[in-house]
Amino acid sequence: MISRLSLTDFRSYADAVVEPGPGLVILTGENGAGKTNLLEAVSMLAPGRGLRGAPLSDMARQDGAGGFTVAARLDDGVDIGCGTLPSAAERRVVRINGVAAAANALAERIAVLWLTPAMDRLFTDSAGARRRFLDRLVLALEPTHAHHAARYEAAMRARTRLLTGDAAADPSWLSALEAQMQEHGAALAQARTRTVQALRARIEAAPESLFARAGISLEGTDAGPWPFAANRSRDGAAGRATEGPHRQDLIVMHLAKGQAAALCSTGEQKALLIGLILAHAELVAERAGQPPVLLLDEVAAHLDPGRRAALIDRLVVQGGQVWMTGTEPELFAAAPSHATRYVVAQGQVVSD
């Protein structure tokens, strides 16, 4: 868990320090107060662009020096952090115990999962959105997944540039890139399959609850080899690779109704999504020996009182640090008295 979080020139915060305890960390305040900004800061302690997926330059405070810093002390005594410099607004700098590190190394120190209002559209969104969601789940179980994803994407982009360029592409260079795509693509597809199978087994074995159980599967589960060389002409005309693990999709069903999640009501989709996140958090805790840090943005506002109480009860039983936001303290009436509570207003975080 995070025992200390400090922000400098991040979003609406010129300077802020919070020292949350274990268990629930509850942030309340009006809309626009900066609650989600705090969750985004925590999400930046994992590989990637955080829960908003925003450009790094957007995260620097508008009236600040141009860069930002997010730093955390973990309960095992490790210090991690990231940020940008004013001279390089889109270059992420990561440090672990004061030593420069690759962003992917963060996944070896902490697992962070999140659920935001924007994700309510996940089941009706694009295959790419569901694939990114799945990759976040995989990363919490297999930290090397980020490395394979980065190498595959880099090789695929380079291959596309060669195929769509004005000059004839060097066949040997194309073959080298395609070999990288095969190697890292196979690792991606296999890791996704392992995660989906493990998560599906856990969900199906779980007892019925107020949160609908999801049936999950992968569409396009082929782990290669893919016909990259044979597809060069077609891919050059399309301006993209038409086959590969980047075309996979996460398929979700409402088990009790036998219905695709995309066809379920908004409330049912929310319950399915929460159930997925909770089941995965249990899986991570079992595999890694410690639960992930969960970030639940405005999740209580979309649940009836019964489901709010059930959610909080389950989070307490599962353990781990869970950051939750809401506009009203009453939304968290069922939270235990030992939960850490903060009031957020105008770039300030005050212990409640």
Side-chain angles (χ1 to χ4, degrees):
M1 71 169 193
I2 296 169
S3 59
R4 187 177 190 273
L5 178 72
S6 62
L7 314 180
T8 302
D9 283 338
F10 183 85
R11 294 286 190 183
S12 55
Y13 296 95
D15 186 23
V17 176
V18 295
E19 296 183 338
L24 302 186
V25 181
I26 297 171
L27 309 169
T28 57
E30 297 179 353
N31 291 327
K35 303 184 299 296
T36 303
N37 290 346
L38 266 177
L39 298 195
E40 184 181 28
V42 176
S43 73
M44 292 304 296
L45 298 173
R49 291 297 179 93
L51 58 81
R52 285 189 173 107
L56 293 173
S57 56
D58 288 356
M59 300 179 194
R61 190 169 64 94
Q62 290 186 358
D63 297 330
F68 72 84
T69 301
V70 175
R73 166 69 57 87
L74 305 183
D75 60 337
D76 60 2
V78 173
D79 291 317
I80 62 175
C82 71
T84 61
L85 300 172
S87 58
E90 291 296 343
R91 181 177 178 273
R92 188 180 190 186
V93 178
V94 172
R95 292 190 178 277
I96 298 177
N97 284 333
V99 179
N104 292 343
L106 292 170
E108 300 174 3
R109 299 293 181 175
I110 185 172
V112 185
L113 299 174
W114 52 81
L115 189 57
T116 70
M119 293 169 64
D120 290 351
R121 303 186 300 272
L122 182 69
F123 303 129
T124 56
D125 208 335
S126 67
R130 288 185 292 277
R131 194 164 50 249
R132 288 189 292 274
F133 171 77
L134 174 59
D135 282 342
R136 178 61 56 186
L137 302 185
V138 177
L139 183 61
L141 291 169
E142 303 189 30
T144 58
H145 190 66
H147 165 74
H148 292 298
R151 295 295 298 272
Y152 177 83
E153 291 288 338
M156 183 172 62
R157 287 195 300 269
R159 175 179 179 269
T160 298
R161 285 195 298 269
L162 287 176
L163 292 176
T164 57
D166 294 333
D170 181 351
S172 60
W173 182 229
L174 281 172
S175 295
L177 292 171
E178 288 163 354
Q180 291 183 44
M181 291 173 65
Q182 295 285 4
E183 175 189 354
H184 298 291
L188 285 179
Q190 291 164 8
R192 288 170 181 161
T193 298
R194 286 192 294 270
T195 295
V196 167
Q197 290 175 343
L199 186 53
R200 181 169 58 217
R202 176 165 288 275
I203 292 172
E204 291 176 350
E208 293 289 345
S209 71
L210 290 178
F211 298 102
R213 292 194 300 165
I216 59 173
S217 60
L218 267 179
E219 186 177 78
T221 56
D222 184 8
W226 295 275
F228 295 133
N231 287 350
R232 288 175 185 175
S233 295
R234 183 173 69 172
D235 292 355
R240 57 183 174 82
T242 53
E243 294 187 61
H246 62 286
R247 305 286 291 174
Q248 288 184 309
D249 192 3
L250 178 66
I251 306 302
V252 181
M253 300 286 294
H254 189 303
L255 280 180
K257 298 181 69 173
Q259 186 177 60
L263 301 178
C264 293
S265 70
T266 302
E268 288 173 329
Q269 290 182 17
K270 186 74 173 184
L272 285 168
L273 195 52
I274 291 174
L276 268 175
I277 290 291
L278 294 179
H280 185 261
E282 291 177 345
L283 186 60
V284 172
E286 179 183 281
R287 294 281 186 87
Q290 59 183 16
V293 173
L294 290 182
L295 310 177
L296 305 179
D297 192 18
E298 300 289 352
V299 68
H302 302 283
L303 301 175
D304 57 55
R307 282 190 170 84
R308 282 203 298 268
L311 173 61
I312 288 175
D313 285 346
R314 185 163 171 181
L315 291 172
V316 170
V317 170
Q318 285 189 193
Q321 193 174 58
V322 185
W323 297 59
M324 307 177 73
T325 68
T327 55
E328 303 291 339
E330 290 74 20
L331 294 171
F332 307 100
S337 59
H338 56 76
T340 306
R341 298 173 185 266
Y342 293 102
V343 175
V344 183
Q346 298 178 344
Q348 300 293 319
V349 186
V350 181
S351 179
D352 185 7

